[in-house]
Amino acid sequence: MKARVSLNLPRSLKKAAEDFAAKDGVSVNQYIALALAEKIGARGATEFFAERGKGGDPERAVAFLEGRPE
């Protein structure tokens, strides 16, 4: 299911989106949708790893990464 969104962008941002979309060979709509998907994915990953890291032991993690026994 798709939804419509009306955006008010500064002219410079709209122009940049048009230029990058043209370089990528996609429509401005596709370019903005992809950029939003990337941002949401990055934010979701940040929140996931922040939550996952709560209560972790930094010294133990460094030892693991360096290949040292616990």
Side-chain angles (χ1 to χ4, degrees), residues 34-46:
L34 178 59
L36 180 58
E38 288 177 0
K39 180 67 174 181
I40 289 171
R43 177 87 182 254
T46 299

Side-chain angles (χ1 to χ4, degrees), residues 14-30:
K14 180 178 179 283
K15 174 74 169 109
E18 290 169 341
D19 292 345
F20 282 116
K23 286 179 186 176
D24 288 352
V26 298
S27 69
V28 173
N29 186 68
Q30 289 172 307

Side-chain angles (χ1 to χ4, degrees), residues 6 10 12 19-20 25-26 32 35 39 44 46-49 51 53 64 69-70:
S6 177
S12 60
D19 292 345
F20 282 116
V26 298
I32 291 173
K39 180 67 174 181
T46 299
E47 290 175 1
F48 171 82
F49 286 112
E51 185 64 31
F64 171 80
E70 294 181 39

Side-chain angles (χ1 to χ4, degrees), residues 2-20:
K2 293 185 180 185
R4 289 188 172 270
V5 175
S6 177
L7 294 174
N8 293 311
L9 301 173
R11 286 191 174 109
S12 60
L13 185 56
K14 180 178 179 283
K15 174 74 169 109
E18 290 169 341
D19 292 345
F20 282 116

